[in-house]
């Protein structure tokens, strides 16, 4: 016989764990179902940057108060305890394929002098964060089931039945917090209306022994392997685990070998040691139009186009659990009961910014030739103002280039043409052309 719950949460990532803690504190009878044996073990690539401190993001102005170990979400009005490692970074550097020319958001040398006050943001230990949230949830009486892969949901007259690992759970509401490849979203038919772009594969290496200039920054590098269909984009970001460890991310294993051994960046990696690697694949889809269907609410990545971010997923979990609490108190276990979450989600996500502004970073990295990129980044003699918001990158670069357009027109007109292609209504077509490449 299945046990009856007010709320069943699928997935104990940041979104599900935050929802479970909140629902538990509110006194809801809650089950938290997680596929991994240990929810705190990170098995999917994540740079673990605090997203973000440099401005509003998903309509929130979050920041970390290191003194009391609290992540603060002042617009939504809650905080999350975190007293693990927090390693600052001070600028965002975009490197051209020559390995030298770069465009920067933020003045590294000036900012690093100011410590916490000057940081762009910081990286932290997501596993420790999740561990804290899950422990708190269990402490409030939430039933945690680990090593349980949810594979079915059925809508009954006044409940939902969730199945997985030979067990059955019955609940009034379900939260689907099972990430970018959400089974809950698929089973409940949310994906039928979404545009499927392409798989987004990646491999993440934790590396020590690097010699990178101004290394306490986010690096997005670009290089061209001879005869390859598209350039290689790679990320290097400080790791929260050790002071001299960095998170290195590329699409494929072969790209790691090329960047670290043959590219113009190879000298950064001459003494590198790989401590461990994690591969992953996500399916890129447009966001849902509404994160509710038949008493199922989606939170975090399951509803968005990819990265709701750790902070965004926690905001969703917090808000969804409170909305469900009110619906149950008001005896309205239906869409109307949780309307507060639905309208909050729309305001904080699709209405706050168009997801394609984030995706535009892909054509920005892949569109230009080696020569064009070196020329383009070389135009920026001084750093641009600090920015850690990927939704703004292309717009800020285009704005900064506006006064230089007559010069670019004269010196490298192909760059002007390509800049004009960086518009959100052209992103779908661009990614469509790359589908075959990513699927291969
Ligand atoms: C390369 C990369 C870099 C990133 N860098 C950052 C960054 O720097 N900062 C940042 O904030 N975000 C970053 N993100 C995004 C971040 O990882 C996600 O947005 C965030 O983890 C979403 O949280 P979530 O709770 O929605 O989903 P997830 O963290 O994906 O959690 C989902 C949970 O559900 C479980 N699950 C899945 N399916 C089932 C099932 N069928 N049954 C039971 N359990 C299931 C999973 O095991 C997992 O524990 C990055 C993502 C990628 C891919």
């Amino acid at each position: 016989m299945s046990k009856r719950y007010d709320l069943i949460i699928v997935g104990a990532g940041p979104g599900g764990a935050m929802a479970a803690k909140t629902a538990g504190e509110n006194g809801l009878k809650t089950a938290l179902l997680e596929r991994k044996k240990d929810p705190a073990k990170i098995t999917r690539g994540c740079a673990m940057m605090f997203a973000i401190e440099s401005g509003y993001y998903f309509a929130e102005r979050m920041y970390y108060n290191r003194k009391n170990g609290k992540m603060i979400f002042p617009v939504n009005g809650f905080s999350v305890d975190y007293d693990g490692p927090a390693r600052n970074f001070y600028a965002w550097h975009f490197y051209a394929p020559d390995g030298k020319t770069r465009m920067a958001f933020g003045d590294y040398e000036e900012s690093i002098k100011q410590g916490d006050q000057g940081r762009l943001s910081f990286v932290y230990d997501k596993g420790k964060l999740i561990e804290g949230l899950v422990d708190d949830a269990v402490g409030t009486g939430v039933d945690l089931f680990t090593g349980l892969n949810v594979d079915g949901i059925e809508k009954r007259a006044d409940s939902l039945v969730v199945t997985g690992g030979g067990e059955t759970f019955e609940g009034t509401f379900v939260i689907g917090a099972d990430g970018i490849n959400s089974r809950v979203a698929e089973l409940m038919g949310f994906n039928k209306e979404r545009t499927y772009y392409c798989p987004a594969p990646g491999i993440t290496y934790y590396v020590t022994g690097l010699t990178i200039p101004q290394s306490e920054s986010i690096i997005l590098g670009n290089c061209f392997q001879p005869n390859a269909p598209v350039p290689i984009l790679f990320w290097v970001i400080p790791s929260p685990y050790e002071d001299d460890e960095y998170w290195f991310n590329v699409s494929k294993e072969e790209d790691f070998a090329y960047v670290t051994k043959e590219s113009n960046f190879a000298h950064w990696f001459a003494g590198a040691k790989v401590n461990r690697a994690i591969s992953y694949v996500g399916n890129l889809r447009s966001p849902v139009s509404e994160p509710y269907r038949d008493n199922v609410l989606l939170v975090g990545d399951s509803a968005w186009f990819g990265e709701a971010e750790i902070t965004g997923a926690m905001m969703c979990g917090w808000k969804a659990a409170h909305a469900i609490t009110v619906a149950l108190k008001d005896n309205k276990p239906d869409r109307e009961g949780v309307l507060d979450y639905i309208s909050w989600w729309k305001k904080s996500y699709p209405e706050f910014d168009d997801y394609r502004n984030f995706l535009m970073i892909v054509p920005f990295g892949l569109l230009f030739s080696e020569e064009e990129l070196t020329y383009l980044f070389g135009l920026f003699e001084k750093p641009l103002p600090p920015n850690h918001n990927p939704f703004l990158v292309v717009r800020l670069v285009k704005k900064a280039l506006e006064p230089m357009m007559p010069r670019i027109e004269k010196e490298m007109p192909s760059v002007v043409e390509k800049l004009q292609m960086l518009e959100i209504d052209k992103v779908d077509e661009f990614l469509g052309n790359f589908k075959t490449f990513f699927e291969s």
Side-chain angles (χ1 to χ4, degrees), residues 9 12 16-25 28 30-34 37-39 130-146:
I9 300 166
M18 187 69 199
K21 169 183 154 68
T22 310
E25 284 168 354
L28 304 195
T30 306
L32 176 60
L33 317 182
E34 168 55 46
K37 284 214 169 76
D38 176 4
I130 292 172
E131 186 180 64
L133 293 172
V134 171
D135 283 353
D136 284 354
V138 171
T140 64
V142 169
D143 288 343
L144 171 67
F145 299 84
T146 55

Side-chain angles (χ1 to χ4, degrees), residues 203-207 246-250 253 256 274 276-277:
I203 179 155
T204 279
Y205 298 83
Y206 283 91
V207 195
Y246 292 83
W247 180 88
F248 179 102
N249 193 75
V250 264
E253 218 174 326
F256 177 72
V274 175
R276 63 201 173 283

Side-chain angles (χ1 to χ4, degrees), residues 10-17 33-36 39 41 43-51 123-124 126 130 148-151 176-184 200 202 204 235 237 247 249 280 299-302 306-314 388:
V10 183
L33 317 182
E34 168 55 46
R35 181 167 61 193
K36 291 185 284 185
K41 190 169 163 43
T43 52
R44 186 171 162 266
C46 181
M48 304 185 200
M49 296 181 276
F50 185 83
V123 291
Y124 59 107
K126 177 182 178 181
I130 292 172
L148 193 146
N149 187 23
V150 167
D151 55 16
D178 49 341
I180 189 169
N181 304 321
S182 169
R183 179 73 70 92
V184 173
T204 279
W235 295 87
I237 294 173
W247 180 88
N249 193 75
Y280 60 88
V299 315
D301 282 5
S302 62
E307 300 176 29
E309 316 287 4
I310 302 165
T311 41
M314 288 195 293
H388 178 211

Side-chain angles (χ1 to χ4, degrees), residues 70-291:
K70 284 196 187 296
M71 293 178 176
I72 317 244
F73 298 78
V75 176
N76 285 293
F78 71 100
S79 62
V80 176
D81 291 334
Y82 175 76
D83 63 359
R87 179 171 168 191
N88 293 346
F89 53 84
Y90 298 92
W92 187 350
H93 293 153
F94 290 70
Y95 275 89
D98 67 355
K100 295 191 292 263
T101 312
R102 86 178 179 204
M103 175 186 80
F105 284 106
D107 184 330
Y108 187 92
E109 294 303 342
E110 279 308 309
S111 305
I112 200 165
K113 284 185 214 154
Q114 299 166 41
D116 281 359
Q117 298 307 315
R119 72 181 176 215
L120 198 51
S121 189
F122 61 96
V123 291
Y124 59 107
D125 182 346
K126 177 182 178 181
K128 191 163 168 51
L129 175 81
I130 292 172
E131 186 180 64
L133 293 172
V134 171
D135 283 353
D136 284 354
V138 171
T140 64
V142 169
D143 288 343
L144 171 67
F145 299 84
T146 55
L148 193 146
N149 187 23
V150 167
D151 55 16
I153 302 186
E154 189 194 321
K155 174 83 181 126
R156 299 232 174 116
D158 72 338
S159 70
L160 288 147
V161 174
V162 176
T163 48
E167 299 204 48
T168 304
F169 304 83
E170 193 172 1
T172 307
F173 281 101
V174 167
I175 285 182
D178 49 341
I180 189 169
N181 304 321
S182 169
R183 179 73 70 92
V184 173
E186 185 63 34
L187 289 167
M188 293 301 296
F190 284 96
N191 293 343
K192 285 191 190 133
E193 54 154 30
R194 302 169 81 177
T195 304
Y196 174 69
Y197 287 109
C198 55
I203 179 155
T204 279
Y205 298 83
Y206 283 91
V207 195
T208 43
L210 307 187
T211 48
I212 300 184
Q214 301 183 333
S215 63
E216 301 314 284
S217 55
I218 316 170
I219 290 167
L220 180 53
N222 196 313
C223 60
F224 288 70
Q225 195 168 8
N227 305 320
V230 292
I232 298 173
L233 291 180
F234 67 91
W235 295 87
V236 187
I237 294 173
S239 145
Y241 300 119
E242 290 174 47
D243 284 354
D244 66 338
E245 189 178 71
Y246 292 83
W247 180 88
F248 179 102
N249 193 75
V250 264
S251 294
K252 303 194 289 294
E253 218 174 326
E254 307 88 88
D255 294 351
F256 177 72
Y258 183 77
V259 175
T260 59
K261 300 234 161 13
E262 293 180 53
S263 75
N264 291 324
F265 300 91
H267 61 284
W268 290 359
F269 301 91
K273 178 175 162 272
V274 175
N275 298 330
R276 63 201 173 283
I278 306 174
S279 62
Y280 60 88
V281 63
N283 286 304
L284 277 190
R285 289 190 167 83
S286 60
V288 299
S289 56
E290 172 163 308

